[in-house]
Every structure is written in C-alpha cells, then in structure tokens.
Amino acid sequence: MSVGGLTLATWLILGQHFEFALARMVTVMVIACPHALGLAIPLVVAVSTAMAAQHGLLIRDRSAFERARQLQAVVFDKTGTLTEGRFGVTDVVVLGGYAEDEVVRFAAALESQSEHPIAAGIVADAKERGISFEPPKEFKAIPGKGAQAIVEGRNVKVVSPGYLKEYGLDASDERIGALASQGKTVVYLLVDEKPAGAVALADIIRAES
C-alpha cells in the first residue's frame, strides 16, 4: 500500500493526470502484493464486466457467465429479439416473362390499400427500390386468400398458395419450392388470372444480430 501511495504521489508531482497516476499505482500494488491474484482477479472482473456492458452484454450472475464455457447450445427468442418483428421481401421470382420491377410494382400497387403485415412488407420493398406505382381501383380483399384490384387497367391479384390450388392454377417452380422449404412466406402475383411472379417474405434480421 505504501509503495502504491508513493507511486501515485510521484507521478502527480511529475505533472501527470490523476488517471495516469492511479493506473500506475494500481499496477505497482498488483505486482508488489504477496498474493497478486487477490487484487488482479477482482480488477479483471470489474474491467471485463464494464467492457461487456459497453457492447450490450449485461452479466447479472458472474458465476453463470463463467459456467457458460460448458454450453453446448444457445436458444434465442427470435421474433423481436434477433429480428425486427416485421415482414420484409427477401426474394422475387419472375414468371410469365415479366420483369422483376414489374412484379414488385403490380404487387405494391395492389397491397398499398391493405393493412396486412405482408402487404406492408411488399410496399416497403417497392419504396426501397425506388419503384413508383399508381393507386389501385376496385380494391377488394379475398378472405383468407389475398386481395385483388385493377392496376394500370389490369386485373391484379396477390394470393396465397391455397388460392392457386383451389382454382387449379399452376405456378410450380423449383425456385419457389426452395424458398418455401426455408420457412419463408410466399405469395403469388396474378395478372389477368395468370401467374406473373412470386414474392417471398421473412421476418427481417436486425443488423446488430
């Protein structure tokens, strides 16, 4: 303790800042202590806990944190924790000779009148792409299956796979099957009752995750 106090006083006399002098004092005390671990371990714990907190990791139980080295698996509450809790477009599959931007434009125009989370995701994607669209006419919801409206003079529908099955419409594609197998939500765009494309959506992962 006396050597540490002397170190602190010496550096202050030499004109150094208090933080600088304090760091040297603690260093000397740790080195000079007969049982150095008795001082070093609490200092390491305090510093590491503070650094972890600065990076968003709150350690409530240090003993549990130490036992974490034995973990075999980590389970996360996904929605709203690792993700933003809202749908976002991940893939657009083009069918029937349409361009990708056309598929997004037709779908966004129709869905702009809907409050469904999937509709909001499609409209947001169109805005991010800088795609403008006209307000639809004669918008009408298809209960449990999607929605329909007149867009740019065309009969446009955004529907679920169940709608295609019910009306015997074929929109089979390996790309769409792969997206569905990944757990993504897939909706289909119909233009004049013919499949024009498919849009896959999923819960958006937070950038910090």
Side-chain angles (χ1 to χ4, degrees):
M1 294 290 289
S2 62
V3 174
L6 179 61
T7 302
L8 176 68
T10 301
W11 282 114
L12 291 175
I13 293 172
L14 293 176
Q16 293 293 338
H17 296 294
F18 177 76
E19 291 83 358
F20 181 91
L22 180 64
R24 270 63 189 172
M25 180 192 76
V26 173
T27 302
V28 169
M29 290 173 63
V30 171
I31 295 173
C33 180
H35 181 47
L37 292 178
L39 286 175
I41 291 177
L43 287 171
V44 170
V45 170
V47 172
S48 60
T49 302
M51 292 179 65
Q54 291 172 357
H55 288 82
L57 177 61
L58 176 62
I59 302 172
R60 296 177 57 185
D61 183 352
R62 290 186 182 130
S63 62
F65 185 63
E66 182 179 349
R67 293 195 302 274
R69 61 189 174 83
Q70 299 173 349
L71 292 177
Q72 299 298 316
V74 179
V75 180
F76 289 96
D77 167 28
K78 177 181 75 69
T79 303
T81 302
L82 298 182
T83 65
E84 296 183 5
R86 64 181 179 88
F87 276 106
V89 174
T90 61
D91 303 271
V92 176
V93 177
V94 176
L95 303 171
Y98 288 86
E100 184 172 314
D101 284 357
E102 286 183 294
V103 172
V104 175
R105 187 177 77 250
F106 279 122
L110 170 60
E111 298 289 26
S112 64
Q113 301 299 307
S114 173
E115 297 180 353
H116 196 281
I118 290 178
I122 293 175
V123 172
D125 181 68
K127 292 179 178 178
E128 290 175 2
R129 294 169 180 252
I131 298 174
S132 58
F133 48 83
E134 299 178 1
K137 299 177 181 179
E138 302 178 22
F139 176 86
K140 184 171 63 174
I142 306 174
K145 297 182 177 66
Q148 64 181 16
I150 302 300
V151 178
E152 300 177 15
R154 313 285 292 276
N155 181 20
V156 175
K157 295 180 181 179
V158 174
V159 296
S160 66
Y163 181 93
L164 299 184
K165 185 176 181 181
E166 180 178 345
Y167 289 91
L169 298 174
D170 182 22
S172 57
D173 189 287
E174 292 182 359
R175 296 168 294 173
I176 298 175
L179 295 173
S181 67
Q182 295 171 13
K184 297 180 179 180
T185 299
V186 179
V187 294
Y188 293 86
L189 172 71
L190 304 181
V191 177
D192 297 330
E193 299 299 333
K194 296 181 180 180
V199 180
L201 303 98
D203 200 355
I204 299 175
I205 299 176
R206 293 177 184 270
E208 58 269 27
S209 295

